[in-house]
Amino acid sequence: MMTSTDAKIRFAHLLAIRASQYDAQAQGLLAQARVALRRADRLRAAAGSRLEKAMAEPSQ
């Protein structure tokens, strides 16, 4: 038979497992966000250099 203390310990353990799962998921999402930000920075830089090049060309 499970005592009240045993039940509380088991519940706390289950909460810790769930928190660990959420932490792992959050770490994965942060990694994806970092990749997306790096890609956005590269695209912004490429667009900026294309714009500068287009602005430097004489108008027709």
Side-chain angles (χ1 to χ4, degrees):
M1 182 174 197
M2 188 179 288
T3 66
S4 174
T5 302
D6 291 336
K8 289 176 185 176
I9 291 170
R10 178 157 172 70
F11 183 68
H13 179 71
L14 292 174
L15 286 177
I17 291 170
R18 181 61 55 95
S20 177
Q21 291 169 342
Y22 284 143
D23 181 59
Q25 184 179 14
Q27 293 299 323
L29 291 172
L30 281 172
Q32 289 176 6
R34 285 187 203 104
V35 169
L37 284 171
R38 282 195 299 268
R39 183 163 192 265
D41 284 342
R42 286 194 304 269
L43 291 172
R44 187 180 313 113
S49 65
R50 285 189 199 124
L51 178 62
E52 288 175 11
K53 186 177 180 181
M55 298 284 281
E57 292 177 0
S59 301
Q60 292 181 351

